[in-house]
Every structure is written in structure tokens, then in C-alpha cells.
Amino acid sequence: MSFTTLKEAALRLFAAGGYDAVPLSEIAREAGIKTPSIYSHFKSKDDLFLAVFEDCLQEHSRRMRALLGRLEGRTVEEQLFTILRDVSRTYLLSDEGMTFLKRTMLFPPLSLQETLRGRFAATEQELNALLLRLFLRGMEEGILRPEAPEDLAASFYCMLDGSFLQQFYYQPDEYAHRIEAVWRIYWKGISTAKE
């Protein structure tokens, strides 16, 4: 049993049941080891949970850098829509990672709540910096209405978070239609283009 195998087992179980519902004995069984063996790798359940969380954040950062590479040379509108579509679809994580992150951020273990929020916010700085640059560029090019870039980023995050949740309520075709409609209305609201 490897360190990675143990974290993968923990990810599967934490994603399915959340922190409180998963005892270390179940993680050990899933990993094919005895419970005391976990302590040769992690000091506590909190320590293991934070390691899994950190892996998800690192995966998110890797995928964010790949997304940034794909955005090169596109217009501000194309870049913002691509970010909305790609990030809301999976939050740039594997299926288990996305489920784990969503559950963790919506229903964090109380003992780790502040730590988790702080680490997540630090990871979001990369996306936030990109959004601020795009909004400033759009205003400099005259295609976006003059607004505080931080306010534009906040509005984008609200749309992004809402879109992320919508995918759990609707079938893929309906979800895609909703994303297109929301984007069209949002873009009309922030752009200088006349109909």
C-alpha cells in the first residue's frame, strides 16, 4: 500500500460520504490495510483530509494553468466564456475531486472550516488575477463598461458558482442551453456593444 493509494481511497470515501461519515477504519479497509497503518503516513484524520484537499487544489491549479494556455490569443469575450464553461463544468477537477471539493466547501468539518477556506482562497488567486486582467483589458479596449474590476470579478464568480450548481439539476443539453443564455445576458450587461 502506498501513500498515494491511501489518499485515493480517502478521496473516494470523503467524496461519497463527507468527513463526518467516514471513519478511518473504512478508509483503511478501502486501501487494503489495517487502521493503525494510516498513522505511519498521517497524524490524524484531519491530517489525511487536508492532504486530500491539498491534492485537489493542486489538480485545480494544474488544470487552470492548462486552461490559461488555451486562452492565448482569444478575445476578452471568448476568454471569459471559456472560463465560465470549463470551470463551471468540473471546477477543473476530476469527477471525484469535484464532488469532494463541492461537499467540503459547502459542508466543511467545523474544526477545519477556516483552514479550508484560507487554502481555497489562496488557490483562487490565480483565477482572480486573470479575471482582473481581462476586465481591465476589456475596459481599455472599450468593449466593457467602466466598472470596478473587483465588482466585475465578483459578479463573474456569482455567475460561475450558480452555473456550477445548475449542472447537478439539469440534463447536459438543458445545462448547455442555460449556460449560453446566462452568458448572453451577462455579456449584454457588462459590454458596451449595442444591439
Side-chain angles (χ1 to χ4, degrees):
M1 191 282 310
S2 71
F3 181 69
T4 302
T5 303
L6 179 56
K7 288 193 294 182
E8 288 169 351
L11 172 62
R12 282 191 299 277
L13 293 170
F14 285 140
Y19 178 88
D20 293 324
V22 180
L24 284 178
S25 59
E26 191 175 340
I27 295 170
R29 189 171 37 258
E30 178 80 9
I33 60 172
K34 301 245 185 255
T35 304
S37 298
I38 290 176
Y39 294 105
S40 65
H41 298 286
F42 300 98
K43 293 182 233 173
S44 65
K45 182 178 174 181
D46 284 2
D47 194 35
L48 173 56
F49 189 85
L50 288 172
V52 171
F53 185 72
E54 197 61 44
D55 284 352
C56 284
L57 294 183
Q58 288 176 11
E59 178 187 352
H60 174 74
S61 291
R62 281 192 305 275
R63 291 184 180 208
M64 177 56 70
R65 286 189 291 276
L67 173 61
L68 296 180
R70 292 194 314 271
L71 296 176
E72 289 293 320
R74 295 187 182 190
T75 66
V76 169
E77 181 180 5
E78 290 169 334
Q79 288 187 48
L80 288 170
F81 180 70
T82 301
I83 292 167
L84 172 67
R85 188 193 61 224
D86 290 9
V87 174
S88 68
R89 186 179 303 136
T90 64
Y91 218 79
L92 301 177
L93 290 168
S94 63
D95 288 342
E96 282 179 339
M98 179 183 61
T99 302
F100 171 80
L101 186 63
K102 182 179 84 165
R103 181 184 294 273
T104 298
M105 296 312 293
L106 292 175
F107 309 105
L110 290 179
S111 62
L112 299 173
Q113 188 171 9
E114 291 308 312
T115 300
L116 295 168
R117 285 183 179 164
R119 289 185 181 182
F120 182 79
T123 302
E124 283 294 287
Q125 287 178 358
E126 193 171 12
L127 177 56
N128 199 53
L130 170 65
L131 290 175
L132 293 175
R133 282 194 309 272
L134 284 172
F135 289 128
L136 285 169
R137 179 179 143 201
M139 285 184 277
E140 288 168 4
E141 292 175 0
I143 59 174
L144 294 181
R145 291 187 354 219
E147 297 283 347
E150 295 79 10
D151 292 346
L152 288 168
S155 70
F156 188 86
Y157 279 121
C158 286
M159 179 178 56
L160 178 63
D161 291 342
S163 301
F164 181 69
L165 291 175
Q166 289 284 303
Q167 70 181 306
F168 296 100
Y169 302 136
Y170 298 99
Q171 295 296 322
D173 287 347
E174 177 63 17
Y175 170 71
H177 172 75
R178 284 171 171 262
I179 290 289
E180 293 281 344
V182 166
W183 173 255
R184 182 175 38 81
I185 292 166
Y186 178 80
W187 184 253
K188 280 182 191 175
I190 66 170
S191 72
T192 58
K194 304 282 188 240
E195 285 192 48

